[in-house]
Amino acid sequence: MTTNITLNSSFSSNKNFNILQINLGRTKAATTHLHPAVVKLKTDILLVQEPYVYNNKIQGLPMSWNIFTSTSNKAAIFIPQTIHKVITVAKLENTIAVKLHTDHKPITLISAYSSPTADINQTLQEIQDIIRMIPNENFLVGADLNGHNPLWGYHRTNKRGVAIMDFLLANNLYINNSSDAPPTFTRNTDVGWPDLTFCSQEMITKVASWEVLEEPSFSDHHFIQITVRTIITSHIFNSYDTAPGVTTTSPRVTTAAPRVTTTAPRARGVTTTAPRAREITTTACRVTTTAPRVTTTSPRARGVTTTAPRAREITTTAPRVTTTARGVTTTARGVTTTARGVTTTAIGIATTA
């Protein structure tokens, strides 16, 4: 299924846009401080990990901001300026991805998180799945993966750092972090570089700068500012269904049968057979349909066709049935309809014999 989505977006005459990356440490103060920081730093988009969440909702942000979160709320993307329109590419457990159009081609931005005690491979697999969804497209990832490697500032490598490096090399990705950059994490005397920014190869020349800021963040992580050489523009995207399976529900069913027999058990034992009935209308609450070959088309599946292998009969259970055959009308509580061929389209049933 393909849906055209127009992103009506404008930007200033500046030929760059600014991305702010930050782990907010699940603190309310750091989350609330984002608004004045964004105004001061002229930020266009934020890649966020561990925002402040209360009652399963991120708190402390202006209501005008567009907020996109992973299902766990541990990773998020904030769009402070509503003129910047994006579409969601993927919403996973620890990862969220959105796409925006620039003056050259679309760019997908990804925010991801993996705690020090979690399985790093789960988050890496989520990022991998998103990359496979956008082949040959530009993308940039801002993630707190809690892996150690000298390439981004640590003195030693741990198992998580090895897994991250293997992932980057396998996907031919570029790390924007500098090995001599200031720590991205400070807590008392402890320092670290758990926050990573990496991108596709084509994005390398578009990233004008990557910098750990001294601007107070009210978190034990520091702001990272990434400047991208491009302009956000208007464009029409094709949005594709990416779910692995499609479940369809049909609103109406039409059944054609060569012969219909209706028995009215509560009509004092009277049985009426309509050998040449003109029309039978059945209203049913529950329908079970089996047929030699059934083709089901759902209006909500937009062209998805499901074919049932083989079947023998059609059973319709209905509270009331009205049968008209040569002037005979019979009302009954139960109806069994048997047919050789059936084409089903929805929940309601109309049977013509």
Side-chain angles (χ1 to χ4, degrees), residues 140-182:
L140 183 140
V141 181
D144 179 358
L145 299 177
N146 288 291
H148 296 190
N149 193 296
L151 190 60
W152 51 83
Y154 286 98
H155 298 297
R156 289 181 295 274
T157 301
N158 63 3
K159 291 183 178 179
R160 297 174 68 90
V162 172
I164 295 169
M165 274 302 302
D166 290 344
F167 172 80
L168 296 174
L169 292 173
N171 290 279
N172 196 28
L173 304 181
Y174 177 83
I175 300 179
N176 302 103
N177 295 55
S178 173
S179 59
D180 59 353

mmCIF file of all heavy atoms in Angstrom, residues 140-182:
data_model
loop_
_atom_site.group_PDB
_atom_site.id
_atom_site.type_symbol
_atom_site.label_atom_id
_atom_site.label_comp_id
_atom_site.label_asym_id
_atom_site.label_seq_id
_atom_site.Cartn_x
_atom_site.Cartn_y
_atom_site.Cartn_z
ATOM 1 N N LEU A 140 21.164 9.423 9.675
ATOM 2 C CA LEU A 140 22.057 9.768 10.771
ATOM 3 C C LEU A 140 21.454 9.233 12.054
ATOM 4 O O LEU A 140 20.243 9.371 12.291
ATOM 5 C CB LEU A 140 22.273 11.277 10.842
ATOM 6 C CG LEU A 140 23.251 11.774 11.912
ATOM 7 C CD1 LEU A 140 24.107 12.923 11.363
ATOM 8 C CD2 LEU A 140 22.509 12.242 13.167
ATOM 9 N N VAL A 141 22.288 8.628 12.892
ATOM 10 C CA VAL A 141 21.842 7.992 14.127
ATOM 11 C C VAL A 141 22.466 8.704 15.317
ATOM 12 O O VAL A 141 23.691 8.926 15.358
ATOM 13 C CB VAL A 141 22.233 6.501 14.164
ATOM 14 C CG1 VAL A 141 21.731 5.840 15.450
ATOM 15 C CG2 VAL A 141 21.710 5.775 12.937
ATOM 16 N N GLY A 142 21.642 9.071 16.286
ATOM 17 C CA GLY A 142 22.114 9.570 17.570
ATOM 18 C C GLY A 142 21.681 8.576 18.630
ATOM 19 O O GLY A 142 20.487 8.361 18.821
ATOM 20 N N ALA A 143 22.651 7.955 19.320
ATOM 21 C CA ALA A 143 22.306 6.860 20.229
ATOM 22 C C ALA A 143 23.207 6.843 21.452
ATOM 23 O O ALA A 143 24.408 7.130 21.360
ATOM 24 C CB ALA A 143 22.408 5.515 19.496
ATOM 25 N N ASP A 144 22.615 6.498 22.586
ATOM 26 C CA ASP A 144 23.386 6.205 23.793
ATOM 27 C C ASP A 144 23.424 4.687 23.913
ATOM 28 O O ASP A 144 22.448 4.059 24.320
ATOM 29 C CB ASP A 144 22.717 6.834 25.019
ATOM 30 C CG ASP A 144 23.474 6.543 26.310
ATOM 31 O OD1 ASP A 144 24.499 5.826 26.248
ATOM 32 O OD2 ASP A 144 23.041 7.017 27.373
ATOM 33 N N LEU A 145 24.560 4.088 23.541
ATOM 34 C CA LEU A 145 24.683 2.630 23.488
ATOM 35 C C LEU A 145 25.557 2.067 24.600
ATOM 36 O O LEU A 145 25.681 0.848 24.733
ATOM 37 C CB LEU A 145 25.240 2.207 22.126
ATOM 38 C CG LEU A 145 24.376 2.604 20.915
ATOM 39 C CD1 LEU A 145 25.062 2.199 19.614
ATOM 40 C CD2 LEU A 145 22.989 1.977 21.004
ATOM 41 N N ASN A 146 26.188 2.940 25.397
ATOM 42 C CA ASN A 146 26.973 2.513 26.554
ATOM 43 C C ASN A 146 28.034 1.472 26.204
ATOM 44 O O ASN A 146 28.234 0.486 26.915
ATOM 45 C CB ASN A 146 26.052 1.968 27.647
ATOM 46 C CG ASN A 146 25.256 3.070 28.340
ATOM 47 O OD1 ASN A 146 25.804 3.896 29.064
ATOM 48 N ND2 ASN A 146 23.949 3.093 28.069
ATOM 49 N N GLY A 147 28.708 1.688 25.079
ATOM 50 C CA GLY A 147 29.808 0.819 24.682
ATOM 51 C C GLY A 147 31.137 1.561 24.746
ATOM 52 O O GLY A 147 31.193 2.766 24.489
ATOM 53 N N HIS A 148 32.214 0.850 25.100
ATOM 54 C CA HIS A 148 33.528 1.469 25.255
ATOM 55 C C HIS A 148 34.437 1.102 24.090
ATOM 56 O O HIS A 148 34.548 -0.083 23.727
ATOM 57 C CB HIS A 148 34.180 1.013 26.558
ATOM 58 C CG HIS A 148 33.450 1.425 27.800
ATOM 59 N ND1 HIS A 148 33.978 1.280 29.065
ATOM 60 C CD2 HIS A 148 32.223 1.984 27.962
ATOM 61 C CE1 HIS A 148 33.118 1.738 29.959
ATOM 62 N NE2 HIS A 148 32.033 2.154 29.314
ATOM 63 N N ASN A 149 35.098 2.124 23.531
ATOM 64 C CA ASN A 149 36.064 1.896 22.468
ATOM 65 C C ASN A 149 36.929 3.151 22.333
ATOM 66 O O ASN A 149 36.400 4.265 22.382
ATOM 67 C CB ASN A 149 35.346 1.591 21.144
ATOM 68 C CG ASN A 149 36.279 1.038 20.086
ATOM 69 O OD1 ASN A 149 37.197 1.713 19.637
ATOM 70 N ND2 ASN A 149 36.032 -0.192 19.680
ATOM 71 N N PRO A 150 38.236 2.993 22.170
ATOM 72 C CA PRO A 150 39.109 4.167 22.019
ATOM 73 C C PRO A 150 38.748 5.038 20.824
ATOM 74 O O PRO A 150 39.101 6.231 20.804
ATOM 75 C CB PRO A 150 40.505 3.545 21.846
ATOM 76 C CG PRO A 150 40.415 2.210 22.517
ATOM 77 C CD PRO A 150 39.003 1.737 22.241
ATOM 78 N N LEU A 151 38.061 4.485 19.856
ATOM 79 C CA LEU A 151 37.718 5.257 18.670
ATOM 80 C C LEU A 151 36.836 6.457 19.004
ATOM 81 O O LEU A 151 36.874 7.478 18.320
ATOM 82 C CB LEU A 151 37.008 4.357 17.645
ATOM 83 C CG LEU A 151 36.789 4.940 16.246
ATOM 84 C CD1 LEU A 151 38.129 5.287 15.595
ATOM 85 C CD2 LEU A 151 36.002 3.982 15.371
ATOM 86 N N TRP A 152 36.047 6.356 20.068
ATOM 87 C CA TRP A 152 35.208 7.497 20.460
ATOM 88 C C TRP A 152 35.531 7.999 21.865
ATOM 89 O O TRP A 152 34.709 8.636 22.511
ATOM 90 C CB TRP A 152 33.721 7.178 20.325
ATOM 91 C CG TRP A 152 33.233 5.916 20.974
ATOM 92 C CD1 TRP A 152 32.878 5.729 22.279
ATOM 93 C CD2 TRP A 152 32.999 4.666 20.314
ATOM 94 N NE1 TRP A 152 32.451 4.444 22.480
ATOM 95 C CE2 TRP A 152 32.499 3.770 21.289
ATOM 96 C CE3 TRP A 152 33.135 4.222 18.991
ATOM 97 C CZ2 TRP A 152 32.161 2.444 20.989
ATOM 98 C CZ3 TRP A 152 32.800 2.916 18.703
ATOM 99 C CH2 TRP A 152 32.322 2.044 19.685
ATOM 100 N N GLY A 153 36.737 7.731 22.372
ATOM 101 C CA GLY A 153 37.192 8.428 23.568
ATOM 102 C C GLY A 153 37.636 7.574 24.738
ATOM 103 O O GLY A 153 38.395 8.053 25.595
ATOM 104 N N TYR A 154 37.173 6.337 24.843
ATOM 105 C CA TYR A 154 37.541 5.495 25.987
ATOM 106 C C TYR A 154 38.977 4.994 25.856
ATOM 107 O O TYR A 154 39.548 4.935 24.761
ATOM 108 C CB TYR A 154 36.588 4.296 26.089
ATOM 109 C CG TYR A 154 35.207 4.656 26.601
ATOM 110 C CD1 TYR A 154 34.150 4.857 25.715
ATOM 111 C CD2 TYR A 154 34.963 4.786 27.962
ATOM 112 C CE1 TYR A 154 32.886 5.176 26.172
ATOM 113 C CE2 TYR A 154 33.695 5.106 28.428
ATOM 114 C CZ TYR A 154 32.662 5.309 27.538
ATOM 115 O OH TYR A 154 31.411 5.626 28.001
ATOM 116 N N HIS A 155 39.554 4.606 26.993
ATOM 117 C CA HIS A 155 40.914 4.077 26.991
ATOM 118 C C HIS A 155 40.945 2.591 26.643
ATOM 119 O O HIS A 155 41.958 2.093 26.138
ATOM 120 C CB HIS A 155 41.569 4.295 28.360
ATOM 121 C CG HIS A 155 41.704 5.741 28.732
ATOM 122 N ND1 HIS A 155 42.477 6.631 28.012
ATOM 123 C CD2 HIS A 155 41.141 6.472 29.741
ATOM 124 C CE1 HIS A 155 42.403 7.846 28.563
ATOM 125 N NE2 HIS A 155 41.594 7.761 29.609
ATOM 126 N N ARG A 156 39.852 1.896 26.922
ATOM 127 C CA ARG A 156 39.786 0.462 26.659
ATOM 128 C C ARG A 156 38.481 0.117 25.953
ATOM 129 O O ARG A 156 37.540 0.918 25.938
ATOM 130 C CB ARG A 156 39.910 -0.333 27.967
ATOM 131 C CG ARG A 156 41.301 -0.294 28.582
ATOM 132 C CD ARG A 156 41.361 -1.115 29.865
ATOM 133 N NE ARG A 156 40.521 -0.536 30.903
ATOM 134 C CZ ARG A 156 40.923 0.417 31.737
ATOM 135 N NH1 ARG A 156 42.161 0.897 31.646
ATOM 136 N NH2 ARG A 156 40.102 0.888 32.651
ATOM 137 N N THR A 157 38.414 -1.104 25.445
ATOM 138 C CA THR A 157 37.219 -1.602 24.762
ATOM 139 C C THR A 157 36.548 -2.669 25.621
ATOM 140 O O THR A 157 37.228 -3.519 26.213
ATOM 141 C CB THR A 157 37.596 -2.217 23.396
ATOM 142 O OG1 THR A 157 38.239 -1.219 22.595
ATOM 143 C CG2 THR A 157 36.356 -2.729 22.678
ATOM 144 N N ASN A 158 35.219 -2.608 25.698
ATOM 145 C CA ASN A 158 34.476 -3.685 26.367
ATOM 146 C C ASN A 158 33.673 -4.462 25.329
ATOM 147 O O ASN A 158 33.710 -4.158 24.127
ATOM 148 C CB ASN A 158 33.570 -3.137 27.474
ATOM 149 C CG ASN A 158 32.489 -2.195 26.960
ATOM 150 O OD1 ASN A 158 32.359 -1.974 25.744
ATOM 151 N ND2 ASN A 158 31.705 -1.631 27.866
ATOM 152 N N LYS A 159 32.933 -5.482 25.778
ATOM 153 C CA LYS A 159 32.193 -6.334 24.845
ATOM 154 C C LYS A 159 31.152 -5.539 24.060
ATOM 155 O O LYS A 159 30.919 -5.798 22.875
ATOM 156 C CB LYS A 159 31.522 -7.480 25.604
ATOM 157 C CG LYS A 159 32.497 -8.510 26.166
ATOM 158 C CD LYS A 159 31.759 -9.651 26.845
ATOM 159 C CE LYS A 159 32.730 -10.697 27.356
ATOM 160 N NZ LYS A 159 32.021 -11.813 28.043
ATOM 161 N N ARG A 160 30.535 -4.596 24.719
ATOM 162 C CA ARG A 160 29.547 -3.773 24.023
ATOM 163 C C ARG A 160 30.218 -2.940 22.933
ATOM 164 O O ARG A 160 29.680 -2.749 21.845
ATOM 165 C CB ARG A 160 28.815 -2.868 25.019
ATOM 166 C CG ARG A 160 28.015 -3.631 26.061
ATOM 167 C CD ARG A 160 27.425 -2.673 27.100
ATOM 168 N NE ARG A 160 26.398 -1.830 26.508
ATOM 169 C CZ ARG A 160 25.102 -2.133 26.455
ATOM 170 N NH1 ARG A 160 24.674 -3.290 26.954
ATOM 171 N NH2 ARG A 160 24.229 -1.307 25.910
ATOM 172 N N GLY A 161 31.404 -2.429 23.239
ATOM 173 C CA GLY A 161 32.142 -1.657 22.247
ATOM 174 C C GLY A 161 32.526 -2.491 21.038
ATOM 175 O O GLY A 161 32.484 -2.008 19.898
ATOM 176 N N VAL A 162 32.894 -3.754 21.288
ATOM 177 C CA VAL A 162 33.226 -4.656 20.180
ATOM 178 C C VAL A 162 32.004 -4.895 19.307
ATOM 179 O O VAL A 162 32.078 -4.877 18.062
ATOM 180 C CB VAL A 162 33.774 -5.993 20.726
ATOM 181 C CG1 VAL A 162 33.935 -7.006 19.594
ATOM 182 C CG2 VAL A 162 35.105 -5.774 21.443
ATOM 183 N N ALA A 163 30.830 -5.122 19.947
ATOM 184 C CA ALA A 163 29.593 -5.361 19.186
ATOM 185 C C ALA A 163 29.230 -4.140 18.341
ATOM 186 O O ALA A 163 28.796 -4.274 17.183
ATOM 187 C CB ALA A 163 28.456 -5.710 20.142
ATOM 188 N N ILE A 164 29.421 -2.953 18.904
ATOM 189 C CA ILE A 164 29.110 -1.724 18.162
ATOM 190 C C ILE A 164 30.046 -1.576 16.968
ATOM 191 O O ILE A 164 29.610 -1.258 15.851
ATOM 192 C CB ILE A 164 29.202 -0.492 19.082
ATOM 193 C CG1 ILE A 164 28.122 -0.556 20.164
ATOM 194 C CG2 ILE A 164 29.066 0.798 18.275
ATOM 195 C CD1 ILE A 164 28.305 0.473 21.268
ATOM 196 N N MET A 165 31.329 -1.815 17.168
ATOM 197 C CA MET A 165 32.292 -1.686 16.068
ATOM 198 C C MET A 165 31.987 -2.687 14.955
ATOM 199 O O MET A 165 32.049 -2.339 13.771
ATOM 200 C CB MET A 165 33.713 -1.894 16.590
ATOM 201 C CG MET A 165 34.351 -0.645 17.145
ATOM 202 S SD MET A 165 34.441 0.710 15.934
ATOM 203 C CE MET A 165 35.391 -0.053 14.624
ATOM 204 N N ASP A 166 31.665 -3.918 15.335
ATOM 205 C CA ASP A 166 31.308 -4.923 14.328
ATOM 206 C C ASP A 166 30.089 -4.480 13.527
ATOM 207 O O ASP A 166 30.030 -4.665 12.299
ATOM 208 C CB ASP A 166 31.034 -6.269 14.998
ATOM 209 C CG ASP A 166 32.292 -6.908 15.556
ATOM 210 O OD1 ASP A 166 33.399 -6.484 15.175
ATOM 211 O OD2 ASP A 166 32.165 -7.828 16.395
ATOM 212 N N PHE A 167 29.134 -3.878 14.215
ATOM 213 C CA PHE A 167 27.914 -3.396 13.549
ATOM 214 C C PHE A 167 28.243 -2.266 12.568
ATOM 215 O O PHE A 167 27.762 -2.251 11.433
ATOM 216 C CB PHE A 167 26.917 -2.917 14.606
ATOM 217 C CG PHE A 167 25.713 -2.221 14.046
ATOM 218 C CD1 PHE A 167 24.643 -2.945 13.528
ATOM 219 C CD2 PHE A 167 25.630 -0.829 14.034
ATOM 220 C CE1 PHE A 167 23.539 -2.299 13.000
ATOM 221 C CE2 PHE A 167 24.534 -0.180 13.521
ATOM 222 C CZ PHE A 167 23.476 -0.922 12.995
ATOM 223 N N LEU A 168 29.070 -1.315 13.000
ATOM 224 C CA LEU A 168 29.418 -0.177 12.143
ATOM 225 C C LEU A 168 30.180 -0.638 10.911
ATOM 226 O O LEU A 168 29.930 -0.175 9.791
ATOM 227 C CB LEU A 168 30.252 0.831 12.933
ATOM 228 C CG LEU A 168 29.565 1.504 14.136
ATOM 229 C CD1 LEU A 168 30.565 2.359 14.896
ATOM 230 C CD2 LEU A 168 28.383 2.340 13.686
ATOM 231 N N LEU A 169 31.119 -1.561 11.103
ATOM 232 C CA LEU A 169 31.903 -2.049 9.976
ATOM 233 C C LEU A 169 31.057 -2.867 9.009
ATOM 234 O O LEU A 169 31.203 -2.754 7.789
ATOM 235 C CB LEU A 169 33.074 -2.888 10.496
ATOM 236 C CG LEU A 169 34.162 -2.127 11.274
ATOM 237 C CD1 LEU A 169 35.163 -3.099 11.883
ATOM 238 C CD2 LEU A 169 34.872 -1.126 10.371
ATOM 239 N N ALA A 170 30.148 -3.685 9.555
ATOM 240 C CA ALA A 170 29.313 -4.533 8.704
ATOM 241 C C ALA A 170 28.387 -3.707 7.826
ATOM 242 O O ALA A 170 28.033 -4.124 6.711
ATOM 243 C CB ALA A 170 28.502 -5.501 9.561
ATOM 244 N N ASN A 171 27.997 -2.523 8.312
ATOM 245 C CA ASN A 171 27.062 -1.681 7.563
ATOM 246 C C ASN A 171 27.738 -0.502 6.873
ATOM 247 O O ASN A 171 27.058 0.367 6.333
ATOM 248 C CB ASN A 171 25.962 -1.176 8.500
ATOM 249 C CG ASN A 171 25.011 -2.269 8.940
ATOM 250 O OD1 ASN A 171 24.085 -2.636 8.214
ATOM 251 N ND2 ASN A 171 25.238 -2.808 10.124
ATOM 252 N N ASN A 172 29.079 -0.473 6.919
ATOM 253 C CA ASN A 172 29.842 0.572 6.238
ATOM 254 C C ASN A 172 29.412 1.966 6.707
ATOM 255 O O ASN A 172 29.164 2.874 5.902
ATOM 256 C CB ASN A 172 29.672 0.442 4.717
ATOM 257 C CG ASN A 172 30.721 1.213 3.946
ATOM 258 O OD1 ASN A 172 31.834 1.421 4.433
ATOM 259 N ND2 ASN A 172 30.365 1.662 2.745
ATOM 260 N N LEU A 173 29.348 2.139 8.036
ATOM 261 C CA LEU A 173 28.899 3.393 8.621
ATOM 262 C C LEU A 173 30.081 4.230 9.102
ATOM 263 O O LEU A 173 31.180 3.715 9.339
ATOM 264 C CB LEU A 173 27.942 3.116 9.783
ATOM 265 C CG LEU A 173 26.715 2.268 9.446
ATOM 266 C CD1 LEU A 173 25.845 2.087 10.672
ATOM 267 C CD2 LEU A 173 25.920 2.887 8.313
ATOM 268 N N TYR A 174 29.842 5.521 9.263
ATOM 269 C CA TYR A 174 30.888 6.470 9.641
ATOM 270 C C TYR A 174 30.559 7.045 11.013
ATOM 271 O O TYR A 174 29.430 7.488 11.269
ATOM 272 C CB TYR A 174 30.965 7.593 8.604
ATOM 273 C CG TYR A 174 31.966 8.667 8.938
ATOM 274 C CD1 TYR A 174 33.322 8.502 8.637
ATOM 275 C CD2 TYR A 174 31.560 9.854 9.536
ATOM 276 C CE1 TYR A 174 34.243 9.486 8.937
ATOM 277 C CE2 TYR A 174 32.472 10.852 9.841
ATOM 278 C CZ TYR A 174 33.809 10.661 9.546
ATOM 279 O OH TYR A 174 34.712 11.639 9.851
ATOM 280 N N ILE A 175 31.554 7.052 11.931
ATOM 281 C CA ILE A 175 31.367 7.616 13.266
ATOM 282 C C ILE A 175 31.713 9.101 13.237
ATOM 283 O O ILE A 175 32.824 9.489 12.828
ATOM 284 C CB ILE A 175 32.250 6.895 14.302
ATOM 285 C CG1 ILE A 175 31.908 5.416 14.368
ATOM 286 C CG2 ILE A 175 32.088 7.536 15.680
ATOM 287 C CD1 ILE A 175 32.766 4.641 15.354
ATOM 288 N N ASN A 176 30.772 9.922 13.676
ATOM 289 C CA ASN A 176 30.999 11.372 13.700
ATOM 290 C C ASN A 176 31.754 11.812 14.945
ATOM 291 O O ASN A 176 32.345 12.901 14.964
ATOM 292 C CB ASN A 176 29.666 12.111 13.611
ATOM 293 C CG ASN A 176 28.878 11.746 12.365
ATOM 294 O OD1 ASN A 176 27.928 10.975 12.427
ATOM 295 N ND2 ASN A 176 29.278 12.273 11.223
ATOM 296 N N ASN A 177 31.734 10.988 16.007
ATOM 297 C CA ASN A 177 32.459 11.320 17.234
ATOM 298 C C ASN A 177 33.951 11.486 16.948
ATOM 299 O O ASN A 177 34.508 10.826 16.068
ATOM 300 C CB ASN A 177 32.291 10.224 18.280
ATOM 301 C CG ASN A 177 30.866 10.090 18.762
ATOM 302 O OD1 ASN A 177 29.949 9.904 17.964
ATOM 303 N ND2 ASN A 177 30.682 10.158 20.065
ATOM 304 N N SER A 178 34.566 12.342 17.732
ATOM 305 C CA SER A 178 36.013 12.519 17.657
ATOM 306 C C SER A 178 36.647 11.851 18.869
ATOM 307 O O SER A 178 36.154 11.970 19.995
ATOM 308 C CB SER A 178 36.359 14.011 17.630
ATOM 309 O OG SER A 178 37.749 14.198 17.712
ATOM 310 N N SER A 179 37.746 11.145 18.652
ATOM 311 C CA SER A 179 38.396 10.413 19.745
ATOM 312 C C SER A 179 38.982 11.339 20.800
ATOM 313 O O SER A 179 39.222 10.925 21.944
ATOM 314 C CB SER A 179 39.490 9.498 19.190
ATOM 315 O OG SER A 179 40.461 10.255 18.487
ATOM 316 N N ASP A 180 39.228 12.603 20.463
ATOM 317 C CA ASP A 180 39.795 13.551 21.424
ATOM 318 C C ASP A 180 38.758 14.551 21.928
ATOM 319 O O ASP A 180 39.105 15.590 22.498
ATOM 320 C CB ASP A 180 40.980 14.294 20.805
ATOM 321 C CG ASP A 180 40.584 15.067 19.536
ATOM 322 O OD1 ASP A 180 39.429 14.904 19.078
ATOM 323 O OD2 ASP A 180 41.437 15.816 19.009
ATOM 324 N N ALA A 181 37.465 14.236 21.718
ATOM 325 C CA ALA A 181 36.409 15.147 22.162
ATOM 326 C C ALA A 181 36.232 15.069 23.681
ATOM 327 O O ALA A 181 36.581 14.055 24.305
ATOM 328 C CB ALA A 181 35.093 14.789 21.473
ATOM 329 N N PRO A 182 35.686 16.110 24.305
ATOM 330 C CA PRO A 182 35.398 16.059 25.744
ATOM 331 C C PRO A 182 34.392 14.952 26.036
ATOM 332 O O PRO A 182 33.681 14.491 25.146
ATOM 333 C CB PRO A 182 34.801 17.441 26.034
ATOM 334 C CG PRO A 182 35.235 18.296 24.903
ATOM 335 C CD PRO A 182 35.347 17.409 23.714
#
